């Protein structure tokens, strides 16, 4: 995503429903968890690059990149008024300030920046998909809770780079229960570029009800008999279990191929 001006970022924040839409947060719980984990990873990379390890994970990157940086007074006044009246928790307020200040630094052409991914874009997307979070022993995303992990484990985490809204929506669609993803592989179709992907959802008491679905050319999950037939020995196409991030990459590549979008 190209760099946005600070006012555009402020308007994105103003559009967030921080308190009211718990159903929206719950329906986007899978994508929100992935986006928060990706923010934690990126924040760790920036903290390591600029000596901010003790401030990780919810901090103002710009203050470490350029301690002399000052935001335009008009935008700063609007930002502080918004944060004071609309944003609920101190750590969320820090990241709101950080996102706007980061956009302003980029707009001014901050020189010598580390070659790292935008630190705040995953968090801004997460906010737009159901509001903020609260922190205690876990990070509560109001629909799912995730662990902090260590600084080192976040540095080494698998990147989640597929941030297109359509991809995030597909991951959330009908995503009830415990989900495992699979890639269909064969000669010429390795794990990194499979013939297709599937998911198995286990729902109900003790996760005993099975729903098998394939992501189709209709850009949605549809029922499939592939796994059942494979288990019965009636399917010669093999498969391998993959991560949710790998599934997201496939979804995005299919959408780009079929719609021509980027």
């Amino acid at each position: 995503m190209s760099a946005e001006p600070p006012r555009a970022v402020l308007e994105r924040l103003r559009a967030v429903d921080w308190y009211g839409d718990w159903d929206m947060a719950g329906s986007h719980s899978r994508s929100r968890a992935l986006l928060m984990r990706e923010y934690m990873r990126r924040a760790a990379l920036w903290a390591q690059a600029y000596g901010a390890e003790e401030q990780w994970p919810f901090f103002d990157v710009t203050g470490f990149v350029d301690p002399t940086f000052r935001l335009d007074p008009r935008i700063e006044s609007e930002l502080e008024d918004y944060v004071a009246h609309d944003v609920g928790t101190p750590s969320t307020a820090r990241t709101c300030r950080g996102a706007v200040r980061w956009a302003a630094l980029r707009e001014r052409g901050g020189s010598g920046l580390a070659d790292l991914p935008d630190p705040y874009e995953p968090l801004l997307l997460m906010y737009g998909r159901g509001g903020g979070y609260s922190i205690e022993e876990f990070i509560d995303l109001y629909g799912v809770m995730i662990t902090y992990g260590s600084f080192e484990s976040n540095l080494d985490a698998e990147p989640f780079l597929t941030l297109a809204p359509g991809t995030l929506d597909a991951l959330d669609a009908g995503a009830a229960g415990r989900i495992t993803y699979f890639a269909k592989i064969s000669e010429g179709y390795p794990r990194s570029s499979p013939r297709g992907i599937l998911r198995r959802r286990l729902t109900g008491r003790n996760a005993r009800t099975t729903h098998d679905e394939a992501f189709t050319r209709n850009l949605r999950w549809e029922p499939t008999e592939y796994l059942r037939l494979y288990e019965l020995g009636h399917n010669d196409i093999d498969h391998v279990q993959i991560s949710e991030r790998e599934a997201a990459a496939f979804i995005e590549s299919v959408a780009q191929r079929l719609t021509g979008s980027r």
Side-chain angles (χ1 to χ4, degrees), residues 32-250:
R32 279 168 54 82
L34 286 163
L35 290 165
M36 175 58 84
R37 290 190 180 105
E38 175 62 10
Y39 165 74
M40 300 279 281
R41 184 187 77 88
R42 295 186 184 193
L45 292 171
W46 283 96
Q48 182 186 57
Y50 289 95
E53 290 91 338
E54 292 185 2
Q55 303 301 316
W56 176 86
F58 304 110
F59 69 106
D60 174 15
V61 171
T62 299
F64 289 87
V65 173
D66 182 359
T68 67
F69 178 83
R70 295 293 179 269
L71 192 60
D72 180 288
R74 292 169 297 178
I75 295 179
E76 183 174 31
S77 176
E78 291 181 43
L79 173 63
E80 290 303 319
D81 181 70
Y82 173 71
V83 166
H85 292 93
D86 293 275
V87 180
T89 66
S91 70
T92 309
R94 284 197 299 275
T95 59
C96 289
R97 292 188 183 97
V100 175
R101 282 167 49 80
W102 172 255
L105 179 68
R106 290 289 302 274
E107 184 179 55
R108 292 187 191 179
S111 60
L113 291 177
D115 185 18
L116 295 172
D118 186 309
Y120 293 107
E121 182 58 26
L123 206 56
L124 290 168
L125 287 170
M126 194 207 78
Y127 289 155
R129 299 178 73 79
Y133 59 90
S134 60
I135 53 175
E136 294 183 20
E137 294 182 25
F138 296 88
I139 303 174
D140 186 351
L141 302 178
Y142 312 134
V144 65
M145 290 192 293
I146 66 172
T147 60
Y148 282 90
S150 67
F151 184 80
E152 291 74 19
S153 68
N154 278 277
L155 278 176
D156 296 334
E158 181 183 0
F160 179 59
L161 305 177
T162 47
L163 305 183
T167 302
L168 300 175
D169 289 344
L171 290 174
D172 289 326
R178 192 169 70 224
I179 298 179
T180 306
Y181 293 93
F182 302 93
K184 295 167 67 175
I185 58 173
S186 61
E187 185 175 354
Y189 293 93
R191 175 177 182 153
S192 59
S193 183
R195 299 172 67 99
I197 63 168
L198 312 102
R199 69 182 185 186
R200 168 162 283 180
R201 298 190 296 112
L202 301 178
T203 62
R205 180 170 292 186
N206 299 320
R208 291 182 178 177
T209 304
T210 300
H211 308 269
D212 292 339
E213 299 155 328
F215 192 77
T216 72
R217 293 176 61 86
N218 296 321
L219 302 181
R220 62 174 179 260
W221 297 101
E222 298 179 346
T224 180
E225 292 292 302
Y226 165 85
L227 290 171
R228 187 182 69 84
L229 292 173
Y230 186 90
E231 290 161 358
L232 293 173
H234 300 321
N235 201 323
D236 292 333
I237 299 175
D238 207 350
H239 62 275
V240 62
Q241 184 173 333
I242 60 173
S243 71
E244 198 166 25
R245 292 165 174 81
E246 289 175 292
F250 177 85

